Amino acid sequence: MQKTLTDRELLDSLEDAVETNLRRHIEVADGWQPHEQVPWSDGRNFAFLGGTDWTPEQSELSDTARLALTVSVLVADNLPSYHRELGKYLRTGAWWRWVGRWTAEENRHEIMIRNYLMLTRAVDPVALERARMAHMTEGFNRAPMHLIDVLATCAFEEAAAAIRHRNTAALGENPIVTSMAEKLAADDELQAEFFAELVSAALDLTPDQAVRAIADRVADFRVPFVELPGGGSSDEALAAAGIYDRANEGELVFKPLLRRWNIFTRTDLTEEGDKARAELALYQ
């Protein structure tokens, strides 16, 4: 029977892997600048400063692109909640430096998208601000999880975000939106890589415990979602627009990571690990 490790033991045992993967992440990450992606010359004042307020005909984005970017900025705007959720588990050493790096990258996403939406008058700024206030006031809280559960959840969430942004880029809306979405997706993929590498390290350290955590997190996985200004949830709207459909999560999110972790070919599991693995058979 394998030993079940406490979160404290896991934090200590995996810290070298965190340090190694943080260095790799920083070395390969694209240091793009959010201010360089925004067409500042398109901006003009709103009525408060003597200009004109927003009207629907000012938006030049398609409904699908407008929806995708609105969801992305609202999700990113709730960064303080996500930072808190990660920080309460990883507030130590190299782990905490990773939380800081991840937070800075996610904040960069929010800055770029929101500036673009406001400058190009792509969305109603009043409706967006009201939605942002409501979304952040409600906040984001997860049920308490153990460390490997946190890592697996984050790997799944970042993989899902990358899919959403790759599909936004594939719309070919305009060169700026395509470039922004591709940069977001590339960041998401590198973040998913970081979390996936740590899950791999945990699997080598305590296979049964890690597979159990992965199976539990697949069973209750749900990407962050928002209530939209015009009504309805982002889940439904993004699925209808072909940007992200939860019905495809098994094929696009779970299967690639389960293959990466060699879940179905591992020979180091005991009966407990095999039981957890059997719960994942649908994604083999």
Side-chain angles (χ1 to χ4, degrees):
M1 182 176 180
Q2 297 174 14
K3 179 185 177 183
T4 297
L5 301 180
T6 66
D7 284 349
R8 180 72 262 175
E9 289 172 326
L10 286 165
L11 285 167
D12 291 342
S13 298
L14 294 173
E15 182 143 12
D16 286 347
V18 176
E19 189 71 61
T20 298
N21 281 284
L22 177 56
R23 285 200 302 268
R24 176 194 55 78
H25 180 92
I26 292 172
E27 287 171 1
V28 302
D30 182 352
W32 58 268
Q33 299 296 317
H35 70 275
E36 294 178 346
Q37 312 302 317
V38 178
W40 299 100
S41 60
D42 289 356
R44 59 192 190 276
N45 290 343
F46 290 96
F48 183 76
L49 293 178
T52 57
D53 278 339
W54 182 86
T55 54
E57 63 271 14
Q58 292 171 3
S59 177
E60 297 181 357
L61 289 186
S62 67
D63 290 344
T64 301
R66 189 161 56 247
L67 167 69
L69 292 178
T70 296
V71 170
S72 288
V73 78
L74 288 175
V75 169
D77 252 325
N78 218 357
L79 181 60
S81 292
Y82 310 137
H83 175 91
R84 182 189 66 235
E85 285 294 306
L86 265 185
K88 71 185 182 185
Y89 296 104
L90 310 180
R91 200 179 179 91
T92 179
W95 292 95
W96 186 234
R97 293 199 299 279
W98 164 250
V99 172
R101 173 73 190 202
W102 177 88
T103 301
E105 290 181 356
E106 291 297 313
N107 191 42
R108 178 171 65 172
H109 297 177
E110 183 274 334
I111 290 169
M112 177 179 67
I113 304 170
R114 192 171 191 277
N115 283 346
Y116 175 82
L117 293 176
M118 294 299 100
L119 278 166
T120 62
R121 297 185 176 232
V123 301
D124 181 348
V126 175
L128 182 63
E129 179 63 8
R130 287 173 177 167
R132 187 185 75 84
M133 291 291 286
H135 187 50
M136 291 186 68
T137 300
E138 182 178 348
F140 175 82
N141 287 286
R142 287 194 180 102
M145 291 191 292
H146 291 295
L147 180 61
I148 305 176
D149 298 79
V150 173
L151 299 175
T153 295
C154 289
F156 292 139
E157 285 181 350
E158 293 299 346
I163 291 166
R164 187 174 75 245
H165 289 130
R166 287 292 177 200
N167 286 338
T168 301
L171 293 173
E173 182 69 22
N174 64 50
I176 294 176
V177 169
T178 299
S179 175
M180 288 195 307
E182 287 175 344
K183 290 184 183 303
L184 297 176
D187 278 3
D188 295 332
E189 287 161 357
L190 282 178
Q191 292 166 353
E193 173 86 5
F194 178 92
F195 288 115
E197 280 294 298
L198 292 185
V199 173
S200 292
L203 278 161
D204 291 341
L205 190 64
T206 177
D208 285 352
Q209 185 177 356
V211 175
R212 177 71 271 161
I214 291 167
D216 289 344
R217 299 291 63 84
V218 166
D220 69 1
F221 180 71
R222 184 169 188 180
V223 295
F225 71 99
V226 297
E227 298 300 323
L228 299 173
S233 75
S234 58
D235 279 357
E236 301 160 347
L238 289 176
I243 299 296
Y244 187 85
D245 190 344
R246 293 192 66 208
N248 298 326
E249 277 177 346
E251 190 67 32
L252 299 179
V253 178
F254 302 145
K255 280 188 178 182
L257 283 167
L258 295 177
R259 284 196 296 268
R260 178 194 182 111
W261 295 326
N262 300 315
I263 295 299
F264 300 109
T265 58
R266 303 190 72 91
T267 59
D268 53 3
L269 301 179
T270 70
E271 182 179 350
E272 288 301 310
D274 277 331
K275 180 180 177 181
R277 175 163 57 186
E279 296 169 22
L280 296 166
L282 176 65
Y283 307 109
Q284 191 166 0

